[in-house]
Structure formats: structure tokens, C-alpha cells
Amino acid sequence: MRARSNPLDSVVYIQSQVPERAMTAEILGTERSGHGVRIREDGLIATVGYLVLEAEHIWIRSREGQGATAYIVAQDFDSGITLLKPTLALEGSYLVPGLSNELAVDEPLLVYRSDHDEAFTCTLFARQEFAGRWEYLLDYALFTSPGCNDWAGAALVDQYGQLCGVGSLLMELHQDDEEELLGNMFIPIDMVSPYLDEMCEFGQRREPPKPWMGALIQEYEGKLVVTGVYPGCPADLAGIKPGDVVLSVDDEPVNNLSGIFRKVWSLGSAGVEVPLLVSSAGSLRQCLLKSIDRSIFYRSVAAAGQVN
């Protein structure tokens, strides 16, 4: 396998099957599909993590029509990128990861998807922070416009043919004139490209995992409202319920997603205790949450499902 001039040859179609008992089944569905892009000569594929999170079966199809099952090599919850490998070698090329921080606003870019014969043309709208309710925070993400449909796991490529990002979301972008514009959020590929060797060897980056609470938190009218709690996770065990409002972490007030996540992560690595002040139905209560490593929790849930 070698790098080629046509990035379309590097993109693959991904389909996954997730058991109904999976924690993310209700939110993300049990049948998921999207794209991935080969990033090394050995056939290593990068895709957006939610496509294969908790999947029990993963299928890959190349543009040449070849197909194979695939397995997860590494999941990086910090970036939201997952690495896959097919069980059989598939024909095709690969894209060299580039440097997303060198992109300029309004720079022309191309989006490649497995089931489209032509690239989708867009420009870089912004490179800025992104926070998601699933305890997810990027110092910067790549926002492009106009919006591209069928974006999940798609390859964002610069004018030199290098891979810059992996498709994650379709969302509304806010302009200075307050008009809303439909666009996409891409995860910068260089969040994982320097760590590929260690991720392939250990299944993750070799650094202390961030503490995870297991709650879905949404900003609403200046408040941090819990909209969901995963069963058996630290937030659940601490008695946190949907509808609760998080007011402070370790006695420090928090009022936005990036603030609460950064404060929790500043307390230490996974396993650290997280003191929360929560408002519930007008009353205040202190909660001491024992955080965990998110990846270990997902593996334990999968193992329990296999036993049952």
C-alpha cells in the first residue's frame, strides 16, 4: 500500500453493530455507519469514535468493493478518534497526517467520503475550543462551512493532499453578525498522529487517564444541568440525577462546560475524588464522586455483557 494523489482511494466505509444493552445504544443507536481513512501503509484506519463505541461487530468496505471485519486497535477518548484495522488486507492508498494548526481561516479544504465520487468543497470557518456534554473538550477543533452531509468519520484534506481532520458533527456556526451558518466540526488528526505507535501497542496514549464522572451535562440558561447519567458510573453511585444542577467543583463555582471539565481534570488523574455542590429541586447537597478511567469502565461493561 502506498500514498497516492487521489485521497478518495484512502477512504473506507464503516458499519458497526452495537448490542441493545450497550450504554450508548439509546443515544447513538445500535446500527451505525460512516467513514474512516487509512493513515499508514499497514492499513491503519482513523475514524470518529462514536461510530464503533461498544460495537460487537465492525465491517469495513473499500472503494474497490473489498470487505472485511475489523477490530479496534485503540480508542482515544480525549480526542474522540478511534484506530481500526481490518482482519484482511484491503487494496487502497493512505493519507499522510498533516498539521491542522497551520491551516488559515478561509483556507479551501476538501471533504472525502467513502460513498461519494467527488470531494465536497468547503473552507475553514474557525479553529477554536469545543466542549461536548459527554465530558469532552478540545482545546481547538476545526470548524468548516458550508455544512457537509454524511460527515461521520469523513476525511478533511488540505490543498497539499494531507489529512487534517476526522469528521465528527454537523452543527450551527455563529458569525459576527449573529447569523447562524450550518457547518461541520472536525477533530484535528494531529491530536493522535504523534502517538500512533504507542496507541497501537497499548490501546491508548501512554499518559495518565483523565477522571471521568459518567454524566451528560448541558449548558442551559447559564446553568450546568445534568441531562443523563450512565448506570453504575461514578455520578450514578454518588446519587446524581438528571435535572440536577452542578454549581461548583471543589468549592470553585463553575458555569460552563469547559470550566467544569478543566476543573475536574485539574484535581488529578482517574481515581481522584471530585467534590461537587449540586442543586436538586431547590435544595443544595454536597456529593463526593469517586472518578474512574472511562476506557476501563467501558471494557468492564462489555465484559459483563459477554458473561450475561
Side-chain angles (χ1 to χ4, degrees):
M1 185 179 294
R2 60 187 179 85
R4 297 179 188 167
S5 58
N6 186 359
L8 277 171
D9 295 329
S10 306
V11 184
V12 299
Y13 175 77
I14 297 174
Q15 185 176 13
S16 68
Q17 182 68 46
V18 176
E20 293 183 359
R21 65 178 179 275
M23 291 195 305
T24 58
E26 184 175 350
I27 298 173
L28 300 174
T30 58
E31 295 184 3
R32 306 171 194 173
S33 61
H35 319 281
V37 55
R38 285 183 284 241
I39 57 175
R40 288 203 317 199
E41 189 174 5
D42 62 2
L44 188 67
I45 295 167
T47 190
V48 64
Y50 61 74
L51 282 183
V52 295
L53 182 59
E54 298 189 276
E56 57 183 358
H57 300 294
I58 304 172
W59 294 270
I60 303 290
R61 188 183 71 237
S62 69
R63 288 187 58 81
E64 291 79 7
Q66 294 179 309
T69 58
Y71 60 94
I72 293 174
V73 174
Q75 287 183 303
D76 183 54
F77 290 103
D78 290 348
S79 66
I81 290 177
T82 292
L83 303 179
L84 305 175
K85 271 267 191 86
T87 54
L88 298 173
L90 303 179
E91 293 181 7
S93 60
Y94 66 95
L95 286 179
V96 176
L99 297 175
S100 62
N101 60 2
E102 295 183 354
L103 297 175
V105 173
D106 294 330
E107 181 171 336
L109 300 168
L110 296 171
V111 178
Y112 290 90
R113 298 159 290 173
S114 59
D115 49 357
H116 296 263
D117 293 328
E118 295 182 356
F120 179 87
T121 303
C122 61
T123 60
L124 184 65
F125 176 83
R127 186 173 53 239
Q128 62 191 35
E129 179 184 87
F130 176 81
R133 63 178 185 149
W134 55 98
E135 296 181 58
Y136 180 68
L137 177 64
L138 299 180
D139 289 337
Y140 76 88
L142 304 173
F143 297 89
T144 63
S145 66
C148 173
N149 292 321
D150 197 16
W151 63 87
L156 183 67
V157 178
D158 66 16
Q159 56 188 318
Y160 304 106
Q162 293 182 318
L163 179 67
C164 298
V166 175
S168 179
L169 297 171
L170 178 71
M171 57 189 299
E172 291 181 343
L173 307 177
H174 299 281
Q175 303 182 97
D176 293 337
D177 57 9
E178 298 185 355
E179 290 186 11
E180 293 182 340
L181 178 70
L182 197 62
N184 295 104
M185 188 275 273
F186 285 83
I187 304 168
I189 189 61
D190 37 350
M191 287 196 69
V192 297
S193 54
Y195 311 101
L196 294 181
D197 289 339
E198 65 185 69
M199 290 175 68
C200 289
E201 182 176 356
F202 300 105
Q204 60 188 34
R205 284 189 276 178
R206 297 294 287 173
E207 58 185 37
K210 289 183 173 66
W212 184 63
M213 299 180 289
L216 298 171
I217 304 174
Q218 188 74 45
E219 289 184 32
Y220 181 71
E221 295 183 350
K223 299 179 180 179
L224 293 174
V225 182
V226 177
T227 58
V229 175
Y230 292 118
C233 72
D236 183 31
L237 298 177
I240 295 174
K241 307 290 184 184
D244 288 351
V245 178
V246 181
L247 302 177
S248 70
V249 177
D250 196 26
D251 295 327
E252 182 176 315
V254 289
N255 53 27
N256 58 57
L257 287 181
S258 60
I260 185 174
F261 298 153
R262 285 199 169 96
K263 180 57 183 176
V264 169
W265 297 342
S266 73
L267 299 178
S269 57
V272 70
E273 291 186 336
V274 180
L276 299 175
L277 177 63
V278 174
S279 173
S280 180
S283 62
L284 301 180
R285 77 175 187 276
Q286 297 280 351
C287 297
L288 189 60
L289 183 151
K290 178 73 172 179
S291 68
I292 60 173
D293 179 351
R294 185 189 326 224
S295 62
I296 291 177
F297 185 79
Y298 276 110
R299 287 198 294 269
S300 67
V301 170
Q306 292 171 2
V307 172
N308 295 335

